Amino acid sequence: MSRLRALPRAHLIAGLCLVVLVLYPVVNPWQPYPQGVMLLAFLLAIQASSWNIISGYAGYISLGHSMFLGLGSYTVGVLAVRFGVNPLWVAPLGGVTAVIIAVLIGSVVLRTRGHAFVIITIAMLLAAQIFAVNLKSITQGSDGITLELPFWDRDFQNIPFYYVYLILLVLTVLFSAWIRRTKFGTGLVAIREDEGKAASIGVNTTRFKIVAYAASSFFIGMAGGVYAYYLSFINPVGSFAILGSVTIVLATLTGGRGTLYGPVIGAFIVQVVSEAATVYGGGSQSRVLLFGLALMVVVLFLPKGLLPTIEAWWRRRHPEEVEYTDQTGALSRAPATTTERVRAELAAVNAEDAIAPGEILLDVRGVSKRFGGLTAVDNAGLTVRKGTITALIGPNGSGKTTLFNLISGGMAADSGEIWFDGRRIDGMRPWRRGHLGLGRTYQVTRLFKEMTVQENVVAPLPDSRWRTMFSDAVGGHEAARARELLDIVGLGRFANQPAGALSYGQQKLVELAQVLMLEPKLILLDEPAGGVNPSLLGQLTEVIRELNRSGVTFLIVEHNIPLVLDLCDPVVVFSHGAPIAEGPPERIRTDPLVLDAYLGDDWRPAEDGAADEGAGESDRTETATREAVQ
Ligand code: ADP
Ligand code: MG
């Protein structure tokens, strides 16, 4: 994608800006005022860039983020006054306090999904202010804390702060860039785009969100410590101001939420405009008005922010730099050697567990799920034996997808037990099931559309180790593995395309590659052939067969009956939320119960080769499938 190619250019510009900023006070040492404006811009950029980690990457909006600045200020202010140390020495402890508080708050609020977080962050900011007012013995209440003045000459007043903040800003941006490169960063974007799906591919969403919240607080806390020294006076109202939080949000939205440099650019713009408003527009009243208007303008006219808008414009102007997706669905077959290693890996994973081939790998026991008055899954029992490709067929609405959701953990069952690989899993979080080797795809594919195909495949986490979480997602072993898996499904050359640009069938194959990253023992495929063109269908069946030979077990929901009869054994037939028949395909296709409930008259033994609805169509598909396989 062009964004990747544009990246070095962006780094180059950023590097040049940095050189100018480093030289500026040297060239112009006797101007404390512009230096003061700049250092406040750095401070805002540090905050915006940090906020971007939880609210840009992970999409969880914090509206009380300036609380961490205040916490840092107070930590350092209290320590400096009490122990007579220079605030700069203890500034990192401001960051530590921020992280501790973020972990405490995060552990409570971020366990659940949704909007509670936004409200709590504002509440916490206000609570912090109340604490600062009332814990008089520590904070000196509303009187505030007065710190010693900087030890350097007044003439240089701003220069040391200028450089301290510039260094902190560079560190913050590097930290943010590093996060985005890791599987942790990919997981955060996955959470933003589709949290349920992220959980099903092994992303421990709770842990990821808490760590992101903590990571987004550290540099702000540290900057807050320095800020206390810069102001040499702190009080509750100034340190825990809601306007500070709004400014952070405004800066990031202006520049581009979720991008690396957007928050920094936005911070500079907002800081300069706000300064101009204060100087020419009559003080802080006008600033509040201005911020309100600016926020409206940004949300209405620049919903993605400045940087992404410029990027999109640039891409339109320079179309030659953009690779277009080949929409014909043509595929490249990888040489067998590329995938050999992955197959061996899967074979090893599937050979090591306690359950021998032919024994029960998945055991669903008397599971039910009701939606209000509707019983979607009704006391269903189902077993999948290791090494099989088991089919689950049945009319629309018979509860097949719901059963998948119960097995993968997207929904909780009302009753019953689910056992997988010798363990009871129905109480486990979805990512734990993923780590055990249970993968699934969706009836309507749920790829992360704003990520590239490659990033989509790198995103899953096969285990819960911190090392895996912080491994490199852009280069190195994980990325190489993702490339191999893409080659297995024949889509290697689309690696750098945005996932949303692929055809529907290609997206289904990418979702399969994504599941393979989990090193699965069992893969649940929900209508893998639905909406897929015949040539891709051949590819798909071939891949499923190959993986099955490596020891991977499949449970497949599918309406393409010829494909099911060709590929699967045994076949389980579902009707009204429970199985009504199970057996080898040749027996299922002649079972009167199945013919009545699902297959219909077209499949009665007297006739030959015709399918249910749209018999001719299915027939053609069957022929195409067979041809492609051979
Ligand atoms: P299938 O995959 O076999 O076509 P589903 O499992 O999707 O069937 O649906 C089974 C029944 O449960 C349908 O009647 C459907 O409308 C209902 N259903 C599925 N999911 C939900 C939900 N989240 N809320 C309410 N009803 C649902
Ligand atoms: Mg379904």
Side-chain angles (χ1 to χ4, degrees), residues 166-233:
L166 187 55
I167 291 168
L168 276 183
L169 175 58
V170 171
L171 289 177
T172 308
V173 171
L174 287 176
F175 182 56
S176 176
W178 171 74
I179 284 182
R180 190 61 188 82
R181 275 186 68 96
T182 59
K183 281 175 84 109
F184 172 50
T186 317
L188 294 182
V189 178
I191 289 172
R192 180 183 75 204
E193 290 206 23
D194 185 343
E195 191 164 344
K197 160 89 186 194
S200 85
I201 55 168
V203 174
N204 183 337
T205 53
T206 306
R207 187 210 278 176
F208 273 52
K209 287 185 290 182
I210 296 171
V211 175
Y213 191 43
S216 76
S217 73
F218 179 74
F219 284 105
I220 302 185
M222 200 161 152
V226 180
Y227 197 45
Y229 194 30
Y230 172 73
L231 294 176
S232 69
F233 173 74

Side-chain angles (χ1 to χ4, degrees), residues 369-372 374-377 392-405 411 443 526-527 557 559 574 577:
K369 178 73 188 176
R370 276 172 292 276
F371 298 111
L374 175 92
T375 305
V377 176
L392 180 63
I393 61 173
N396 278 327
S398 58
K400 305 178 300 293
T401 297
T402 305
L403 182 68
F404 270 22
N405 289 336
M411 280 175 189
Q443 186 172 343
D526 200 348
E527 304 200 14
V557 165
H559 285 297
F574 233 56

Side-chain angles (χ1 to χ4, degrees), residues 277-294:
T278 312
V279 174
Y280 303 110
S284 56
Q285 286 298 335
S286 67
R287 209 163 57 172
V288 175
L289 188 70
L290 190 85
F291 281 8
L293 284 174

Side-chain angles (χ1 to χ4, degrees), residues 265-596:
I265 295 170
F268 276 81
I269 295 172
V270 168
Q271 188 57 43
V272 168
V273 170
S274 135
E275 193 61 32
T278 312
V279 174
Y280 303 110
S284 56
Q285 286 298 335
S286 67
R287 209 163 57 172
V288 175
L289 188 70
L290 190 85
F291 281 8
L293 284 174
L295 205 53
M296 241 169 61
V297 170
V298 168
V299 170
L300 285 178
F301 298 106
L302 279 177
K304 284 185 176 268
L306 209 56
L307 199 61
T309 307
I310 294 174
E311 241 179 42
W313 171 82
W314 180 267
R315 237 176 284 156
R316 272 199 306 277
R317 287 284 305 269
H318 301 265
E320 72 277 11
E321 289 188 12
V322 183
E323 298 166 34
Y324 282 102
T325 312
D326 178 358
Q327 292 284 9
T328 59
L331 291 160
S332 58
R333 279 306 291 158
T337 47
T338 330
T339 57
E340 207 54 61
R341 206 179 58 76
V342 174
R343 277 197 222 112
E345 215 169 73
L346 284 170
V349 165
N350 280 284
E352 80 196 9
D353 37 82
I355 288 171
E359 286 182 25
I360 294 170
L361 180 63
L362 176 74
D363 194 2
V364 178
R365 300 178 188 166
V367 162
S368 297
K369 178 73 188 176
R370 276 172 292 276
F371 298 111
L374 175 92
T375 305
V377 176
D378 190 5
N379 195 20
L382 173 86
T383 54
V384 176
R385 289 180 184 275
K386 190 172 167 170
T388 62
I389 304 178
T390 303
L392 180 63
I393 61 173
N396 278 327
S398 58
K400 305 178 300 293
T401 297
T402 305
L403 182 68
F404 270 22
N405 289 336
L406 301 179
I407 297 171
S408 68
M411 280 175 189
D414 296 330
S415 57
E417 293 179 8
I418 303 172
W419 291 71
F420 173 68
D421 200 15
R423 263 179 269 210
R424 187 170 172 184
I425 60 164
D426 50 87
M428 283 182 190
R429 306 300 293 265
W431 55 84
R432 281 273 296 135
R433 305 182 199 204
H435 298 163
L436 290 178
L438 181 65
R440 75 166 291 187
T441 64
Y442 291 84
Q443 186 172 343
V444 178
T445 55
R446 284 167 73 174
L447 289 184
F448 308 111
K449 301 249 163 45
E450 288 191 16
M451 290 189 197
T452 64
V453 170
Q454 162 101 7
E455 282 180 310
N456 264 280
V457 181
V458 178
L461 284 99
D463 55 53
S464 58
R465 288 181 307 175
W466 290 88
R467 243 185 76 191
T468 312
M469 184 169 159
F470 288 109
S471 61
D472 191 352
V474 177
H477 171 257
E478 293 293 300
R481 215 168 151 256
R483 258 324 263 265
E484 278 181 60
L485 296 176
L486 275 173
D487 281 337
I488 286 192
V489 298
L491 292 174
R493 68 199 170 92
F494 296 105
N496 292 328
Q497 301 287 340
L502 296 188
S503 76
Y504 191 66
Q506 289 168 336
Q507 291 192 22
K508 290 221 152 186
L509 283 168
V510 173
E511 208 170 46
L512 180 58
Q514 196 175 43
V515 168
L516 293 178
M517 198 75 184
L518 286 174
E519 296 171 353
K521 292 171 179 165
L522 172 66
I523 302 179
L524 314 175
L525 297 177
D526 200 348
E527 304 200 14
V532 175
N533 76 39
S535 81
L536 278 182
L537 211 56
Q539 177 83 15
L540 185 75
T541 40
E542 198 184 341
V543 169
I544 293 173
R545 279 212 176 87
E546 268 179 14
L547 292 170
N548 182 243
R549 264 181 243 126
S550 315
V552 182
T553 310
F554 284 89
L555 177 61
I556 303 179
V557 165
E558 187 46 65
H559 285 297
N560 183 335
I561 298 304
L563 184 133
V564 165
L565 297 179
D566 185 38
L567 186 68
C568 306
D569 189 9
V571 176
V572 180
V573 187
F574 233 56
S575 180
H576 300 290
I580 53 164
E582 180 182 346
E586 52 282 4
R587 209 173 69 216
I588 290 298
R589 68 183 289 180
T590 55
D591 187 324
L593 210 57
V594 177
L595 292 169
D596 285 342

Side-chain angles (χ1 to χ4, degrees), residues 58-226:
Y60 270 72
I61 305 292
S62 162
L63 283 185
H65 230 59
S66 60
M67 171 181 72
F68 296 118
L69 193 77
L71 285 173
S73 293
Y74 265 94
T75 305
V76 169
V78 169
L79 290 176
V81 169
R82 191 154 286 200
F83 301 104
V85 285
N86 184 282
L88 289 182
W89 290 122
V90 285
L93 293 179
V96 173
T97 307
V99 167
I100 292 171
I101 299 294
V103 170
L104 288 178
I105 298 174
S107 307
V108 178
V109 218
L110 289 169
R111 291 198 165 274
T112 53
R113 286 163 67 170
H115 302 300
F117 181 71
V118 182
I119 310 298
I120 299 283
T121 54
I122 304 179
M124 285 297 145
L125 173 71
L126 300 176
Q129 196 183 79
I130 292 169
F131 273 115
V133 171
N134 290 297
L135 289 176
K136 283 205 175 72
S137 58
I138 304 172
T139 64
Q140 298 170 29
S142 308
D143 296 341
I145 300 174
T146 307
L147 290 89
E148 59 179 298
L149 289 174
F151 59 81
W152 51 82
D153 196 314
R154 281 189 76 85
D155 288 342
F156 298 111
Q157 183 79 335
N158 282 334
I159 293 179
F161 287 117
Y162 180 100
Y163 282 115
V164 168
Y165 275 136
L166 187 55
I167 291 168
L168 276 183
L169 175 58
V170 171
L171 289 177
T172 308
V173 171
L174 287 176
F175 182 56
S176 176
W178 171 74
I179 284 182
R180 190 61 188 82
R181 275 186 68 96
T182 59
K183 281 175 84 109
F184 172 50
T186 317
L188 294 182
V189 178
I191 289 172
R192 180 183 75 204
E193 290 206 23
D194 185 343
E195 191 164 344
K197 160 89 186 194
S200 85
I201 55 168
V203 174
N204 183 337
T205 53
T206 306
R207 187 210 278 176
F208 273 52
K209 287 185 290 182
I210 296 171
V211 175
Y213 191 43
S216 76
S217 73
F218 179 74
F219 284 105
I220 302 185
M222 200 161 152
V226 180

